[in-house]
Amino acid sequence: MNEQKSDKYPKILVIRLSSLGDIVLSSPVYKNLKAKWPNCHISLLVKKQFAEVLSGHPDIDEIITLKRSNLETAHEVKAKEFTHLLDLHSNSRSIIITALSGIPNKVKYNKSSVARRMFVKYRTPSPELEKHTLEKYLDALKAWDVPIVYTEPQLGDWAYKSAAGTENRKIRKIGIFQTSFIGDTVLTTPLVRKTAKMFPEAKIVVITRPETVDIFKNMPEVSEIILNKKKGIYKILDVFRTSKAIKKSGIDILLVPHRSFRSALIAYMSKVPIRIGFSSSEGKFLYTKTVPFSWMIHDAERNLNLLHGIVKEKFQAEELHLNSIPTAEQNVERLLKEYNIEGKTLVGVHPGSAWPTKCWPEDKYIELISRIQQELGLQVVLVGGDKDSDKGENIRHLAKGSLANFCGKTSLTDLMALMNHFKLFITNDSGPMHIATAFNVPTLAIFGPTTKELGFFPYGKGHRVIEIKDLDCRPCALHGGKKCPLGHFKCMKDISVDLVFENAKEMLKEHGAIQ
């Protein structure tokens, strides 16, 4: 590729291996690259467990997952003949891959590793530590004269960017396999409609449970329904019976939104020539093709990505029938109604973190939440993943007032929709903290083992960080740890409920949530 062509159509590899917070923060980088080079091709190299998070990003054209060895990864990268490389990870692994990549135009963001480690070990200050990590990401683009147009990590609905094709052939029947719960089943109906529209000559066969058959039986697009029973003795027997029925039906292509191993096994045993499921499926190796799974788009839209296993061209999603197909916002509205908190002023609280030492103690959260609900008359909503469910339930049980515990009850898209309902978000140093700031929710973050100097504080104006600044042992690590190295955990225990409560109260007043 000559220099003139590469300047007009650069093929860019961005390395950002992990994690959720870093991924959210990197989103303006791709937007700025596309703003300068609309025709550029951006590939992102990530760890496998994070591939599904970014697979639907509108400015990323390809996801490459990290292989078992650096040499194997570098070999794949080199074969793709990239013209530009942007290293947003800057660790030993990304540096080795960069060196072996053979890519001529390489840029690495200034991670300030030495300054950070000197600060952690010797508390040595440095001007390099004054910048937020996102600012450092954007600074790296200056080496390519990329104008910085986008500076906020915004999250929202993502379009479809990639497609995988199949051979041209007569498609007589397309099966759609969905045996999950009612909500998931309803969110599969746009896939049925879009499939019927794209393949008008093909018959649509739906494989579903007896409990959800009514959702499909009145759809004009559905020609045939195969029932799969999952209760009692039928749970095992119907693996064989359903796979036999699918095979007998003569289905040419089988789309499987359900990500269970059982669904993948039935699909495999049916011997359908083309079986398409998600890359995160427990039985993905039983499919003939897989497509990326992204948490960052709504489930109804995410299911449509399965069609990219059939067609090469890009296509727009079917307009959702909002009266019958719940969006993430409607799912949130349902939860608000279920907990009888519609119309109330909501304060979101995330008490969890991947690192135990990043968690402010439960008893302090319990007291804080009790005061917010009793003294300020506001409604607190706990958020978190499945791992936070027990913690959330314990806090709900002990806190005063009618606390709503959504831990383990929302998907990532639901969480994003929920952010729009919060007047304030109180959190530990965590991924949801960055999601909140990306939705411009006033964020009050509680920092213990980590500090703002490490670059991952809430990005943007109007947010606050509560921390014990004069504690000599802070920060004790770059990312937190499982337990306090000194055993006293003063960085979190010394943060009083009064301090957090008063800051929360001030922020709520600043944003007009209370008088």
Side-chain angles (χ1 to χ4, degrees), residues 445 447-448 450-453 465-469 474 495 499:
F447 276 41
T450 53
T451 66
K452 293 176 67 175
E453 288 82 1
V465 172
I466 302 293
E467 58 185 339
I468 304 298
K469 294 183 178 180
R474 291 185 70 242
I495 295 177
L499 179 63

Side-chain angles (χ1 to χ4, degrees), residues 37 58 85 111 144 252 278 285 343 433-434 446 507 515:
W37 294 303
L85 185 149
K111 192 175 183 179
W144 292 341
D252 299 294
F278 285 116
F285 58 92
M433 175 185 73
H434 298 294
I446 303 171
M507 292 177 71
Q515 297 298 319

Side-chain angles (χ1 to χ4, degrees), residues 174-246:
I174 300 176
I176 296 176
F177 194 124
Q178 178 58 282
T179 58
S180 190
F181 298 107
I182 292 177
D184 299 304
T185 303
V186 170
L187 294 175
T188 306
T189 57
L191 175 62
V192 174
R193 293 190 181 98
K194 187 65 178 181
T195 303
K197 187 174 182 179
M198 295 183 70
F199 301 92
E201 296 182 4
K203 292 183 178 181
I204 306 299
V205 181
V206 171
I207 300 93
T208 193
R209 302 163 64 194
E211 296 89 339
T212 52
V213 69
D214 288 342
I215 294 172
F216 297 109
K217 72 178 184 181
N218 293 320
M219 293 185 69
E221 297 87 354
V222 177
S223 300
E224 180 183 350
I225 295 178
I226 296 174
L227 295 182
N228 176 244
K229 300 176 182 179
K230 298 176 68 174
K231 292 184 178 180
I233 191 172
Y234 295 107
K235 189 169 185 178
I236 298 175
L237 294 179
D238 255 37
V239 169
F240 301 95
R241 192 199 64 80
T242 305
S243 61
K244 184 177 180 180
I246 295 173

Side-chain angles (χ1 to χ4, degrees), residues 128-184:
E128 296 179 38
L129 301 177
E130 296 178 3
K131 285 188 176 182
H132 192 280
T133 296
L134 175 54
E135 295 178 71
K136 295 177 184 178
Y137 288 169
L138 298 177
D139 281 348
L141 297 179
K142 295 177 181 178
W144 292 341
D145 296 322
V146 176
I148 306 304
V149 180
Y150 302 97
T151 59
E152 296 290 336
Q154 299 290 331
L155 295 178
D157 292 331
W158 289 353
Y160 303 95
K161 299 298 293 182
S162 62
T166 185
E167 59 272 15
N168 294 322
R169 55 189 292 172
K170 179 68 175 179
I171 301 174
R172 298 167 302 161
K173 282 188 177 183
I174 300 176
I176 296 176
F177 194 124
Q178 178 58 282
T179 58
S180 190
F181 298 107
I182 292 177
D184 299 304

Side-chain angles (χ1 to χ4, degrees), residues 281-292:
S281 169
E282 294 175 4
K284 63 182 179 181
F285 58 92
L286 298 174
Y287 294 119
T288 59
K289 293 185 179 182
T290 59
V291 299

Side-chain angles (χ1 to χ4, degrees), residues 269-280:
M269 292 172 62
S270 72
K271 303 301 180 184
V272 172
I274 299 175
R275 305 179 300 277
I276 304 169
F278 285 116
S279 58
S280 61

Side-chain angles (χ1 to χ4, degrees), residues 283-496:
K284 63 182 179 181
F285 58 92
L286 298 174
Y287 294 119
T288 59
K289 293 185 179 182
T290 59
V291 299
F293 178 91
S294 173
W295 284 112
M296 307 301 283
I297 57 177
H298 189 270
D299 195 53
E301 297 181 353
R302 179 167 54 230
N303 290 335
L304 294 173
N305 272 342
L306 292 168
L307 288 169
H308 286 141
I310 310 175
V311 297
K312 292 181 180 180
E313 68 269 16
K314 298 176 183 178
F315 59 84
Q316 295 296 318
E318 285 286 284
E319 184 175 336
L320 298 181
H321 294 253
L322 297 180
N323 290 331
S324 58
I325 307 301
T327 62
E329 180 60 42
Q330 287 174 316
N331 286 337
V332 168
E333 292 289 353
R334 174 183 57 79
L335 282 171
L336 298 181
K337 185 175 183 179
E338 181 181 324
Y339 282 82
N340 196 29
I341 56 176
E342 293 175 296
K344 294 184 179 181
T345 302
L346 305 183
V347 174
V349 174
H350 178 236
S353 173
W355 298 98
T357 55
K358 283 187 176 182
C359 295
W360 199 41
E362 278 187 33
D363 61 328
K364 292 181 178 289
Y365 268 118
I366 291 167
E367 184 181 347
L368 173 69
I369 291 167
S370 298
R371 292 185 64 180
I372 290 174
Q373 295 195 140
Q374 290 195 316
E375 296 181 32
L376 302 182
L378 305 182
Q379 174 67 57
V380 173
V381 177
L382 286 183
V383 301
D386 291 335
K387 293 181 179 179
D388 300 315
S389 295
D390 290 342
K391 176 180 286 189
E393 191 58 25
N394 188 53
I395 294 174
R396 184 199 66 79
H397 179 69
L398 296 174
K400 296 176 181 178
S402 181
L403 173 62
N405 176 25
F406 285 12
C407 291
K409 295 181 175 66
T410 56
S411 66
L412 192 52
T413 49
D414 291 337
L415 176 61
M416 290 190 287
L418 187 59
M419 287 295 176
N420 293 317
H421 294 263
F422 292 145
K423 297 298 182 182
L424 177 69
F425 192 67
I426 303 173
T427 177
N428 301 314
D429 179 7
S430 63
M433 175 185 73
H434 298 294
I435 292 176
T437 59
F439 276 95
N440 297 316
V441 181
T443 300
L444 178 59
I446 303 171
F447 276 41
T450 53
T451 66
K452 293 176 67 175
E453 288 82 1
L454 300 182
F456 292 97
F457 53 92
Y459 185 80
K461 297 179 180 179
H463 310 301
R464 298 189 187 187
V465 172
I466 302 293
E467 58 185 339
I468 304 298
K469 294 183 178 180
D470 58 353
L471 200 58
D472 292 339
C473 57
R474 291 185 70 242
C476 61
L478 292 176
H479 306 291
K482 292 183 178 181
K483 60 181 181 179
C484 173
L486 300 180
H488 54 63
F489 201 33
K490 292 176 67 65
C491 63
M492 280 299 196
K493 288 183 177 179
D494 284 2
I495 295 177
S496 70

